[in-house]
Amino acid sequence: GAVAAALEPEYFRVLLRSILYAPDMWVSLGHGKGKVFVTMPEDARRIAGDSQPLIAAFGREQAGDDGRIVVAPIDGSGEVRITALGRIAPPPLHMDHPLVIAVSRSSAEVFALWRQQAFAYLTFFAVLSAGAAFGLYRGQWRRKSYALLEASAERERRKNAEQLQLALEGAELGLWDWDVRNDRFTSNEVMRGQLGYAPGEIGDSGDAWRRLVHRDDAEKLISAIEAHFRRETPSYECEFRVRHKDGHWVWLLSRGKVVERDALDTPVRMTGTHMDLTRR
């Protein structure tokens, strides 16, 4: 009524030796109570004695826990090792105690490459930070210099803008700017005065301005704009009537040009002037 089974150590030596891939690595096969049968590379310290504490502790745990990673010193050397433990207990065999396989590597060796990379990255970022600090210092110095030039250029731009505004007012020219993509239309005070409107009364939508155009002139106006959009004319020019706030019609000479296009050559922005031709 008794059955005895023997495990051939040499078979397991070949099997366990085949999974070693690093000099600091070892693998052991033992009984659930802690006794080690085979270890590779061979080391008498791991076979000596009736029980290895790490294997015995894992062998006593519940059968549902089939694997575990332990990071701790596991022998008298005090070296911290990463050890993976696995349980071998096929259900059809109804084993009283499982076999336990332990695969271990030195924690220092496992993370050696990472530490080298970390040190290299640290050195790189230290050099990069030093370069960035020097570049920031140089940039601040140049920024101060540019700020002085920019302030001078801004004063010049304001002066030119003021001169342009005075010139437009003197010539009684209304200035308009059309955001074609969003259909937003902005104008200066002269242009609004030509139609008798105060700021904000018309709005900035393109439809609001187009509704003021005389219906007999709308097709001519659209054709002139579209021809310029297609680059058939170097600039846009058209005479048309616009309804004044008081109800009468005002004749305008409108000139303009596309000043911005997108990557597909579609007009994005157009700007120009209006001249009141009603008396003519």
PDB file of all heavy atoms in Angstrom, residues 9-34:
ATOM      1  N   PRO A   9      18.396  14.136  -9.399  1.00  0.00           N
ATOM      2  CA  PRO A   9      18.978  15.490  -9.292  1.00  0.00           C
ATOM      3  C   PRO A   9      19.610  15.978 -10.591  1.00  0.00           C
ATOM      4  O   PRO A   9      19.574  17.154 -10.904  1.00  0.00           O
ATOM      5  CB  PRO A   9      20.008  15.352  -8.167  1.00  0.00           C
ATOM      6  CG  PRO A   9      19.552  14.159  -7.390  1.00  0.00           C
ATOM      7  CD  PRO A   9      18.938  13.231  -8.372  1.00  0.00           C
ATOM      8  N   GLU A  10      20.217  15.052 -11.362  1.00  0.00           N
ATOM      9  CA  GLU A  10      20.944  15.479 -12.556  1.00  0.00           C
ATOM     10  C   GLU A  10      20.005  16.129 -13.573  1.00  0.00           C
ATOM     11  O   GLU A  10      20.361  17.100 -14.238  1.00  0.00           O
ATOM     12  CB  GLU A  10      21.662  14.292 -13.186  1.00  0.00           C
ATOM     13  CG  GLU A  10      22.621  14.667 -14.309  1.00  0.00           C
ATOM     14  CD  GLU A  10      23.699  15.645 -13.845  1.00  0.00           C
ATOM     15  OE1 GLU A  10      24.167  15.525 -12.685  1.00  0.00           O
ATOM     16  OE2 GLU A  10      24.063  16.547 -14.637  1.00  0.00           O
ATOM     17  N   TYR A  11      18.775  15.603 -13.673  1.00  0.00           N
ATOM     18  CA  TYR A  11      17.810  16.193 -14.600  1.00  0.00           C
ATOM     19  C   TYR A  11      17.513  17.632 -14.212  1.00  0.00           C
ATOM     20  O   TYR A  11      17.483  18.523 -15.056  1.00  0.00           O
ATOM     21  CB  TYR A  11      16.515  15.369 -14.584  1.00  0.00           C
ATOM     22  CG  TYR A  11      15.370  16.067 -15.287  1.00  0.00           C
ATOM     23  CD1 TYR A  11      15.292  16.086 -16.688  1.00  0.00           C
ATOM     24  CD2 TYR A  11      14.390  16.734 -14.561  1.00  0.00           C
ATOM     25  CE1 TYR A  11      14.250  16.748 -17.326  1.00  0.00           C
ATOM     26  CE2 TYR A  11      13.345  17.390 -15.199  1.00  0.00           C
ATOM     27  CZ  TYR A  11      13.287  17.397 -16.579  1.00  0.00           C
ATOM     28  OH  TYR A  11      12.259  18.050 -17.204  1.00  0.00           O
ATOM     29  N   PHE A  12      17.339  17.839 -12.916  1.00  0.00           N
ATOM     30  CA  PHE A  12      17.014  19.201 -12.464  1.00  0.00           C
ATOM     31  C   PHE A  12      18.211  20.124 -12.578  1.00  0.00           C
ATOM     32  O   PHE A  12      18.047  21.321 -12.799  1.00  0.00           O
ATOM     33  CB  PHE A  12      16.510  19.149 -11.015  1.00  0.00           C
ATOM     34  CG  PHE A  12      15.147  18.542 -10.892  1.00  0.00           C
ATOM     35  CD1 PHE A  12      14.987  17.232 -10.463  1.00  0.00           C
ATOM     36  CD2 PHE A  12      14.019  19.258 -11.238  1.00  0.00           C
ATOM     37  CE1 PHE A  12      13.733  16.668 -10.363  1.00  0.00           C
ATOM     38  CE2 PHE A  12      12.753  18.700 -11.140  1.00  0.00           C
ATOM     39  CZ  PHE A  12      12.605  17.392 -10.702  1.00  0.00           C
ATOM     40  N   ARG A  13      19.413  19.586 -12.440  1.00  0.00           N
ATOM     41  CA  ARG A  13      20.597  20.439 -12.610  1.00  0.00           C
ATOM     42  C   ARG A  13      20.647  21.019 -14.025  1.00  0.00           C
ATOM     43  O   ARG A  13      20.926  22.192 -14.226  1.00  0.00           O
ATOM     44  CB  ARG A  13      21.869  19.636 -12.309  1.00  0.00           C
ATOM     45  CG  ARG A  13      22.081  19.304 -10.846  1.00  0.00           C
ATOM     46  CD  ARG A  13      23.476  18.773 -10.608  1.00  0.00           C
ATOM     47  NE  ARG A  13      23.674  18.400  -9.216  1.00  0.00           N
ATOM     48  CZ  ARG A  13      23.535  17.159  -8.736  1.00  0.00           C
ATOM     49  NH1 ARG A  13      23.208  16.173  -9.575  1.00  0.00           N
ATOM     50  NH2 ARG A  13      23.711  16.909  -7.469  1.00  0.00           N
ATOM     51  N   VAL A  14      20.399  20.141 -15.009  1.00  0.00           N
ATOM     52  CA  VAL A  14      20.407  20.610 -16.402  1.00  0.00           C
ATOM     53  C   VAL A  14      19.300  21.645 -16.633  1.00  0.00           C
ATOM     54  O   VAL A  14      19.508  22.683 -17.250  1.00  0.00           O
ATOM     55  CB  VAL A  14      20.240  19.413 -17.365  1.00  0.00           C
ATOM     56  CG1 VAL A  14      20.118  19.909 -18.810  1.00  0.00           C
ATOM     57  CG2 VAL A  14      21.410  18.462 -17.230  1.00  0.00           C
ATOM     58  N   LEU A  15      18.114  21.355 -16.081  1.00  0.00           N
ATOM     59  CA  LEU A  15      16.985  22.267 -16.262  1.00  0.00           C
ATOM     60  C   LEU A  15      17.237  23.617 -15.605  1.00  0.00           C
ATOM     61  O   LEU A  15      17.030  24.668 -16.201  1.00  0.00           O
ATOM     62  CB  LEU A  15      15.724  21.618 -15.684  1.00  0.00           C
ATOM     63  CG  LEU A  15      14.447  22.456 -15.771  1.00  0.00           C
ATOM     64  CD1 LEU A  15      14.076  22.691 -17.224  1.00  0.00           C
ATOM     65  CD2 LEU A  15      13.308  21.778 -15.023  1.00  0.00           C
ATOM     66  N   LEU A  16      17.715  23.589 -14.345  1.00  0.00           N
ATOM     67  CA  LEU A  16      17.918  24.835 -13.621  1.00  0.00           C
ATOM     68  C   LEU A  16      19.091  25.629 -14.190  1.00  0.00           C
ATOM     69  O   LEU A  16      19.072  26.852 -14.207  1.00  0.00           O
ATOM     70  CB  LEU A  16      18.154  24.543 -12.140  1.00  0.00           C
ATOM     71  CG  LEU A  16      17.012  23.832 -11.404  1.00  0.00           C
ATOM     72  CD1 LEU A  16      17.335  23.696  -9.923  1.00  0.00           C
ATOM     73  CD2 LEU A  16      15.697  24.575 -11.585  1.00  0.00           C
ATOM     74  N   ARG A  17      20.118  24.904 -14.666  1.00  0.00           N
ATOM     75  CA  ARG A  17      21.275  25.601 -15.249  1.00  0.00           C
ATOM     76  C   ARG A  17      20.874  26.362 -16.510  1.00  0.00           C
ATOM     77  O   ARG A  17      21.453  27.397 -16.835  1.00  0.00           O
ATOM     78  CB  ARG A  17      22.384  24.596 -15.560  1.00  0.00           C
ATOM     79  CG  ARG A  17      23.706  25.249 -15.968  1.00  0.00           C
ATOM     80  CD  ARG A  17      24.760  24.218 -16.349  1.00  0.00           C
ATOM     81  NE  ARG A  17      25.058  23.334 -15.238  1.00  0.00           N
ATOM     82  CZ  ARG A  17      24.818  22.011 -15.241  1.00  0.00           C
ATOM     83  NH1 ARG A  17      24.251  21.462 -16.311  1.00  0.00           N
ATOM     84  NH2 ARG A  17      25.129  21.263 -14.210  1.00  0.00           N
ATOM     85  N   SER A  18      19.859  25.880 -17.212  1.00  0.00           N
ATOM     86  CA  SER A  18      19.477  26.487 -18.493  1.00  0.00           C
ATOM     87  C   SER A  18      18.833  27.859 -18.328  1.00  0.00           C
ATOM     88  O   SER A  18      18.736  28.609 -19.295  1.00  0.00           O
ATOM     89  CB  SER A  18      18.509  25.559 -19.233  1.00  0.00           C
ATOM     90  OG  SER A  18      17.265  25.478 -18.541  1.00  0.00           O
ATOM     91  N   ILE A  19      18.359  28.196 -17.131  1.00  0.00           N
ATOM     92  CA  ILE A  19      17.691  29.495 -16.965  1.00  0.00           C
ATOM     93  C   ILE A  19      18.614  30.556 -16.384  1.00  0.00           C
ATOM     94  O   ILE A  19      18.201  31.691 -16.193  1.00  0.00           O
ATOM     95  CB  ILE A  19      16.439  29.359 -16.074  1.00  0.00           C
ATOM     96  CG1 ILE A  19      16.825  29.059 -14.629  1.00  0.00           C
ATOM     97  CG2 ILE A  19      15.492  28.315 -16.611  1.00  0.00           C
ATOM     98  CD1 ILE A  19      15.640  29.124 -13.679  1.00  0.00           C
ATOM     99  N   LEU A  20      19.853  30.212 -16.075  1.00  0.00           N
ATOM    100  CA  LEU A  20      20.790  31.202 -15.533  1.00  0.00           C
ATOM    101  C   LEU A  20      21.271  32.109 -16.661  1.00  0.00           C
ATOM    102  O   LEU A  20      21.783  31.626 -17.670  1.00  0.00           O
ATOM    103  CB  LEU A  20      21.972  30.501 -14.864  1.00  0.00           C
ATOM    104  CG  LEU A  20      21.633  29.575 -13.691  1.00  0.00           C
ATOM    105  CD1 LEU A  20      22.902  28.898 -13.176  1.00  0.00           C
ATOM    106  CD2 LEU A  20      20.950  30.334 -12.573  1.00  0.00           C
ATOM    107  N   TYR A  21      21.119  33.405 -16.513  1.00  0.00           N
ATOM    108  CA  TYR A  21      21.524  34.343 -17.576  1.00  0.00           C
ATOM    109  C   TYR A  21      22.436  35.456 -17.068  1.00  0.00           C
ATOM    110  O   TYR A  21      22.820  36.334 -17.833  1.00  0.00           O
ATOM    111  CB  TYR A  21      20.294  34.956 -18.241  1.00  0.00           C
ATOM    112  CG  TYR A  21      19.433  35.793 -17.316  1.00  0.00           C
ATOM    113  CD1 TYR A  21      19.716  37.138 -17.091  1.00  0.00           C
ATOM    114  CD2 TYR A  21      18.353  35.225 -16.663  1.00  0.00           C
ATOM    115  CE1 TYR A  21      18.932  37.900 -16.247  1.00  0.00           C
ATOM    116  CE2 TYR A  21      17.555  35.982 -15.813  1.00  0.00           C
ATOM    117  CZ  TYR A  21      17.851  37.317 -15.613  1.00  0.00           C
ATOM    118  OH  TYR A  21      17.077  38.059 -14.772  1.00  0.00           O
ATOM    119  N   ALA A  22      22.790  35.437 -15.741  1.00  0.00           N
ATOM    120  CA  ALA A  22      23.667  36.470 -15.190  1.00  0.00           C
ATOM    121  C   ALA A  22      24.589  35.834 -14.147  1.00  0.00           C
ATOM    122  O   ALA A  22      24.189  34.888 -13.450  1.00  0.00           O
ATOM    123  CB  ALA A  22      22.842  37.582 -14.559  1.00  0.00           C
ATOM    124  N   PRO A  23      25.810  36.326 -13.996  1.00  0.00           N
ATOM    125  CA  PRO A  23      26.765  35.725 -13.042  1.00  0.00           C
ATOM    126  C   PRO A  23      26.284  35.767 -11.600  1.00  0.00           C
ATOM    127  O   PRO A  23      26.655  34.898 -10.806  1.00  0.00           O
ATOM    128  CB  PRO A  23      28.027  36.574 -13.234  1.00  0.00           C
ATOM    129  CG  PRO A  23      27.884  37.216 -14.572  1.00  0.00           C
ATOM    130  CD  PRO A  23      26.432  37.418 -14.772  1.00  0.00           C
ATOM    131  N   ASP A  24      25.483  36.791 -11.237  1.00  0.00           N
ATOM    132  CA  ASP A  24      25.052  36.924  -9.847  1.00  0.00           C
ATOM    133  C   ASP A  24      23.776  36.147  -9.547  1.00  0.00           C
ATOM    134  O   ASP A  24      23.230  36.225  -8.448  1.00  0.00           O
ATOM    135  CB  ASP A  24      24.794  38.405  -9.525  1.00  0.00           C
ATOM    136  CG  ASP A  24      23.668  38.980 -10.382  1.00  0.00           C
ATOM    137  OD1 ASP A  24      23.855  39.060 -11.615  1.00  0.00           O
ATOM    138  OD2 ASP A  24      22.607  39.322  -9.828  1.00  0.00           O
ATOM    139  N   MET A  25      23.298  35.347 -10.481  1.00  0.00           N
ATOM    140  CA  MET A  25      22.005  34.678 -10.350  1.00  0.00           C
ATOM    141  C   MET A  25      22.171  33.259  -9.828  1.00  0.00           C
ATOM    142  O   MET A  25      23.140  32.575 -10.143  1.00  0.00           O
ATOM    143  CB  MET A  25      21.328  34.666 -11.729  1.00  0.00           C
ATOM    144  CG  MET A  25      19.935  34.114 -11.773  1.00  0.00           C
ATOM    145  SD  MET A  25      19.318  34.269 -13.465  1.00  0.00           S
ATOM    146  CE  MET A  25      17.695  33.559 -13.252  1.00  0.00           C
ATOM    147  N   TRP A  26      21.244  32.803  -9.001  1.00  0.00           N
ATOM    148  CA  TRP A  26      21.171  31.393  -8.630  1.00  0.00           C
ATOM    149  C   TRP A  26      19.725  30.944  -8.566  1.00  0.00           C
ATOM    150  O   TRP A  26      18.808  31.750  -8.401  1.00  0.00           O
ATOM    151  CB  TRP A  26      21.906  31.070  -7.330  1.00  0.00           C
ATOM    152  CG  TRP A  26      21.467  31.797  -6.090  1.00  0.00           C
ATOM    153  CD1 TRP A  26      22.117  32.808  -5.478  1.00  0.00           C
ATOM    154  CD2 TRP A  26      20.299  31.534  -5.293  1.00  0.00           C
ATOM    155  NE1 TRP A  26      21.443  33.232  -4.372  1.00  0.00           N
ATOM    156  CE2 TRP A  26      20.320  32.445  -4.214  1.00  0.00           C
ATOM    157  CE3 TRP A  26      19.240  30.636  -5.364  1.00  0.00           C
ATOM    158  CZ2 TRP A  26      19.321  32.479  -3.230  1.00  0.00           C
ATOM    159  CZ3 TRP A  26      18.254  30.659  -4.395  1.00  0.00           C
ATOM    160  CH2 TRP A  26      18.297  31.573  -3.336  1.00  0.00           C
ATOM    161  N   VAL A  27      19.513  29.619  -8.704  1.00  0.00           N
ATOM    162  CA  VAL A  27      18.185  29.035  -8.666  1.00  0.00           C
ATOM    163  C   VAL A  27      18.242  27.749  -7.850  1.00  0.00           C
ATOM    164  O   VAL A  27      19.187  26.960  -7.972  1.00  0.00           O
ATOM    165  CB  VAL A  27      17.651  28.781 -10.096  1.00  0.00           C
ATOM    166  CG1 VAL A  27      18.588  27.899 -10.888  1.00  0.00           C
ATOM    167  CG2 VAL A  27      16.260  28.163 -10.056  1.00  0.00           C
ATOM    168  N   SER A  28      17.238  27.547  -7.005  1.00  0.00           N
ATOM    169  CA  SER A  28      17.201  26.371  -6.135  1.00  0.00           C
ATOM    170  C   SER A  28      15.817  25.737  -6.191  1.00  0.00           C
ATOM    171  O   SER A  28      14.806  26.424  -6.349  1.00  0.00           O
ATOM    172  CB  SER A  28      17.521  26.744  -4.678  1.00  0.00           C
ATOM    173  OG  SER A  28      18.836  27.232  -4.564  1.00  0.00           O
ATOM    174  N   LEU A  29      15.789  24.396  -6.060  1.00  0.00           N
ATOM    175  CA  LEU A  29      14.547  23.633  -5.981  1.00  0.00           C
ATOM    176  C   LEU A  29      14.520  22.912  -4.649  1.00  0.00           C
ATOM    177  O   LEU A  29      15.473  22.191  -4.303  1.00  0.00           O
ATOM    178  CB  LEU A  29      14.461  22.624  -7.133  1.00  0.00           C
ATOM    179  CG  LEU A  29      13.223  21.727  -7.153  1.00  0.00           C
ATOM    180  CD1 LEU A  29      11.985  22.565  -7.401  1.00  0.00           C
ATOM    181  CD2 LEU A  29      13.356  20.636  -8.217  1.00  0.00           C
ATOM    182  N   GLY A  30      13.442  23.121  -3.888  1.00  0.00           N
ATOM    183  CA  GLY A  30      13.400  22.522  -2.558  1.00  0.00           C
ATOM    184  C   GLY A  30      12.025  22.001  -2.190  1.00  0.00           C
ATOM    185  O   GLY A  30      11.039  22.201  -2.908  1.00  0.00           O
ATOM    186  N   HIS A  31      11.975  21.333  -1.055  1.00  0.00           N
ATOM    187  CA  HIS A  31      10.735  20.791  -0.496  1.00  0.00           C
ATOM    188  C   HIS A  31       9.984  21.904   0.220  1.00  0.00           C
ATOM    189  O   HIS A  31      10.575  22.873   0.698  1.00  0.00           O
ATOM    190  CB  HIS A  31      11.061  19.649   0.483  1.00  0.00           C
ATOM    191  CG  HIS A  31       9.863  18.878   0.932  1.00  0.00           C
ATOM    192  ND1 HIS A  31       9.114  19.241   2.012  1.00  0.00           N
ATOM    193  CD2 HIS A  31       9.288  17.751   0.417  1.00  0.00           C
ATOM    194  CE1 HIS A  31       8.123  18.389   2.174  1.00  0.00           C
ATOM    195  NE2 HIS A  31       8.207  17.459   1.218  1.00  0.00           N
ATOM    196  N   GLY A  32       8.659  21.749   0.313  1.00  0.00           N
ATOM    197  CA  GLY A  32       7.856  22.765   0.962  1.00  0.00           C
ATOM    198  C   GLY A  32       8.224  23.001   2.409  1.00  0.00           C
ATOM    199  O   GLY A  32       7.915  24.061   2.969  1.00  0.00           O
ATOM    200  N   LYS A  33       8.901  22.019   3.046  1.00  0.00           N
ATOM    201  CA  LYS A  33       9.312  22.210   4.433  1.00  0.00           C
ATOM    202  C   LYS A  33      10.654  22.926   4.549  1.00  0.00           C
ATOM    203  O   LYS A  33      11.110  23.198   5.663  1.00  0.00           O
ATOM    204  CB  LYS A  33       9.392  20.868   5.131  1.00  0.00           C
ATOM    205  CG  LYS A  33       8.021  20.254   5.424  1.00  0.00           C
ATOM    206  CD  LYS A  33       8.162  19.011   6.287  1.00  0.00           C
ATOM    207  CE  LYS A  33       6.795  18.468   6.691  1.00  0.00           C
ATOM    208  NZ  LYS A  33       6.915  17.265   7.569  1.00  0.00           N
ATOM    209  N   GLY A  34      11.295  23.188   3.390  1.00  0.00           N
ATOM    210  CA  GLY A  34      12.518  23.966   3.436  1.00  0.00           C
ATOM    211  C   GLY A  34      13.774  23.257   2.978  1.00  0.00           C
ATOM    212  O   GLY A  34      14.790  23.901   2.751  1.00  0.00           O
TER     213      GLY A  34
END
